[in-house]
Amino acid sequence: AADRHWLLSIQPLGQGAKLVRLSDRTATRASERIRVDFVANASHELRTPLASLIGFIETLEDANGPDEAPVRERFLKIMAGEARRMQRLVDDLISLSRIEADKHRTPADPIALGALARETADTLRGERWRTRIELAVEDGLPPVTGDRAQLSQLLHNLVGNALKYGDPEKPVRVKVMRSGTTMIKLAVADEGEGIAAQHLPRLTERFYRVDAGRSRQAGGTGLGLAIVKHIVERHRGRLDITSTQGVGTTVTVLLPIAAETGHSVAAE
Ligand code: ADP
């Protein structure tokens, strides 16, 4: 195909003989492209709030700048918001690189996913959200194998998205149940505006957003689902996003049940 990249190398073998090699570099090119784009995107995402911060600092430093307390206070509020935005982004970048660096080690602690989902729901309820979060955990579920901090982050990102993009008048539903004999299923459903089909395959790409303005306004970094995807892969699980515009979105994660544990963890 025209969009493949070939590398032709010629190695002299002496006495006029040559070794000619043609190798397909398409995959290498693609991963280089992704890395370059990622660095460019991350830099751009950091530069915007940074420029705004510097602008406000210079205005406040200026001898002829505003000296009324309410104006200065309003500036400080905006500056704090921009600094937090940078902090969220840097935190997500660190998470992503840690998970990636560890991707060949499968986490193996027994984790009670139902209890973790309950903790996540309680934490998020305590934050700025007024949306109802309904939690349904099947009784007597065995633990999944995993990394507690990462599964907690996965839950926060998914329930957080349902809150950010859902309809505040409609509940967010979180379900934890068995799926066959080897997996536990987590489903997070909202009744928000949904996502058009053409976006679905790209949602887990870093910095891919359906509506960038909306995401930023909601405090999104554009990395939440990329992090979720990496966590699921590291756990040898499966991730599935289904959505209908005007109806809502359901994200499903399948995680393997911990082996060698005869006991079940109370659903609480
Ligand atoms: P963000 O930080 O922007 O929320 P994510 O990686 O978590 O980044 O999600 C990528 C994009 O997918 C979001 O910007 C949003 O457009 C879309 N999205 C994610 N979850 C939902 C949802 N539950 N409902 C509608 N759109 C969603």
Side-chain angles (χ1 to χ4, degrees), residues 161 164-165 190 195 203 208-210 215 220-222 224-225 249:
N161 276 353
K164 279 192 292 190
Y165 305 109
D190 66 63
I195 305 160
L203 292 182
Y208 189 85
R209 294 154 154 137
V210 176
S215 157
T221 60
L225 288 177
T249 304

Side-chain angles (χ1 to χ4, degrees), residues 10 39 46-47 67-68 89 140 146 153 158 165 180 194 218 231 246 248 253-254:
I10 303 171
V39 173
L46 281 169
R47 185 198 228 170
D67 55 7
E68 308 90 322
L89 183 59
Q153 187 169 20
L158 294 183
Y165 305 109
I231 293 175
V253 174
L254 289 180

Side-chain angles (χ1 to χ4, degrees), residues 158-250:
L158 294 183
V159 181
N161 276 353
L163 292 168
K164 279 192 292 190
Y165 305 109
D167 178 342
E169 305 301 328
K170 309 271 177 60
V172 164
R173 294 196 170 84
V174 182
K175 288 184 189 161
V176 186
M177 69 200 97
R178 246 181 202 280
S179 173
T181 52
T182 57
M183 305 293 256
I184 299 276
K185 177 157 117 182
L186 162 75
V188 179
D190 66 63
E191 293 177 45
E193 69 210 40
I195 305 160
Q198 78 264 23
H199 297 292
L200 290 177
R202 299 197 60 192
L203 292 182
T204 57
E205 283 175 26
R206 296 151 178 200
F207 297 118
Y208 189 85
R209 294 154 154 137
V210 176
D211 178 344
R214 168 118 199 239
S215 157
R216 290 205 183 88
Q217 205 200 339
T221 60
L223 294 174
L225 288 177
I227 291 173
V228 166
K229 180 187 151 202
H230 277 89
I231 293 175
V232 171
E233 279 174 2
R234 216 188 141 220
H235 282 75
R236 309 254 181 280
R238 263 189 45 204
L239 171 68
D240 187 37
I241 306 173
T242 55
S243 191
T244 309
Q245 269 191 297
V247 178
T249 304
T250 300

Side-chain angles (χ1 to χ4, degrees), residues 103-172:
K103 71 177 166 199
H104 299 298
R105 250 178 345 106
T106 309
D109 294 333
I111 310 290
L113 199 63
L116 204 56
R118 192 173 302 278
E119 256 174 50
T120 306
D122 288 343
T123 310
L124 288 170
R125 278 188 198 113
E127 289 177 10
R128 62 200 154 112
W129 306 102
R130 62 189 176 93
T131 311
R132 223 166 58 234
I133 304 176
E134 289 177 2
L135 184 68
V137 179
E138 198 180 300
D139 282 338
L141 285 182
V144 298
T145 59
D147 175 310
R148 191 169 203 284
Q150 287 184 7
L151 292 178
S152 169
Q153 187 169 20
L154 175 145
L155 278 157
H156 268 90
N157 289 0
L158 294 183
V159 181
N161 276 353
L163 292 168
K164 279 192 292 190
Y165 305 109
D167 178 342
E169 305 301 328
K170 309 271 177 60
V172 164

